[in-house]
Amino acid sequence: MKILMVCLGNICRSPMADGLLRAKVAQESLDIEVDSAGTSGYHVGDTPDPRMRATAKSMGVNIDDLTSRQFVQADYDRFDVIYAMDESNRDNMFRLARNEEDKQKVKLILNEIYPGENMSVPDPYYGGDQGFIDVFNMLDEATSKIISDIKG
Ligand code: 4NP
């Protein structure tokens, strides 16, 4: 199974989701590949935002080695499930979808814990430190639910 996490810049929300899910996959010795990408190319090659890295580290998760890349159409072939952090990320990915099968791979990550509510993981980039802590906590909960559903 292959899971992709996607946001706008791939420097705050999706690397955090990626790092959390990777850590849990390793902890549970599951055979799941995890990656992340951004719908924009603004930060390609960059490591995650220092504020997200610091929050992650303070919570015991290291995302220092991840680098930003842009979401591409071929990701629809490589991944089984693609989680968008918000509806704008989802709509951006839909524009690259070739068919209904591609679109059905895309889910809003917070629907895992708040089914059907179509809630967004708020973009913390222009805000203060609390925004990064909130993002961490939401994604911690969502990734735990993903793992528990996979384990059945
Ligand atoms: P992310 O946050 O989508 O969670 O990585 C952002 C990072 C950078 C920008 C926007 C959002 N930006 O416009 O540069």
Side-chain angles (χ1 to χ4, degrees):
M1 179 152 182
K2 295 183 178 151
I3 299 175
L4 183 66
M5 301 294 188
V6 176
C7 62
L8 176 61
N10 192 210
I11 55 166
C12 298
R13 294 165 293 173
S14 61
M16 192 65 260
D18 179 344
L20 277 161
L21 191 63
R22 264 180 216 230
K24 291 169 194 190
V25 161
Q27 215 160 35
E28 303 281 345
S29 302
L30 298 170
D31 185 19
I32 300 172
E33 189 180 312
V34 184
D35 193 17
S36 61
T39 58
S40 78
Y42 304 152
H43 292 278
V44 170
D46 291 355
T47 51
D49 187 286
R51 298 165 293 174
M52 195 74 258
R53 283 160 50 192
T55 301
K57 209 167 281 181
S58 75
M59 304 291 214
V61 182
N62 189 314
I63 56 169
D64 291 355
D65 294 334
L66 300 178
T67 51
S68 175
R69 73 167 179 91
Q70 189 165 13
F71 178 84
V72 292
Q73 193 171 59
D75 286 318
Y76 282 119
D77 300 318
R78 277 184 60 203
F79 293 92
D80 303 298
V81 184
I82 301 170
Y83 284 111
M85 300 297 122
D86 65 33
E87 290 180 298
S88 154
N89 310 147
R90 182 185 62 183
D91 293 346
N92 288 334
M93 285 191 279
F94 278 173
R95 275 187 222 114
L96 290 176
R98 297 155 298 189
N99 50 44
E100 218 29 57
E101 194 187 341
D102 284 355
K103 286 189 177 180
Q104 275 169 11
K105 292 187 174 188
V106 182
K107 299 176 182 198
L108 288 171
I109 194 165
L110 289 187
N111 277 348
E112 295 294 320
I113 46 176
Y114 304 110
E117 294 194 23
N118 297 337
M119 287 173 61
S120 294
V121 180
D123 185 347
Y125 191 66
Y126 295 104
D129 289 347
Q130 188 59 43
F132 289 87
I133 296 167
D134 293 343
V135 165
F136 182 95
N137 287 329
M138 286 176 206
L139 293 175
D140 190 25
E141 208 183 318
T143 52
S144 286
K145 179 68 164 43
I146 291 168
I147 293 284
S148 72
D149 285 350
I150 288 169
K151 285 172 69 186

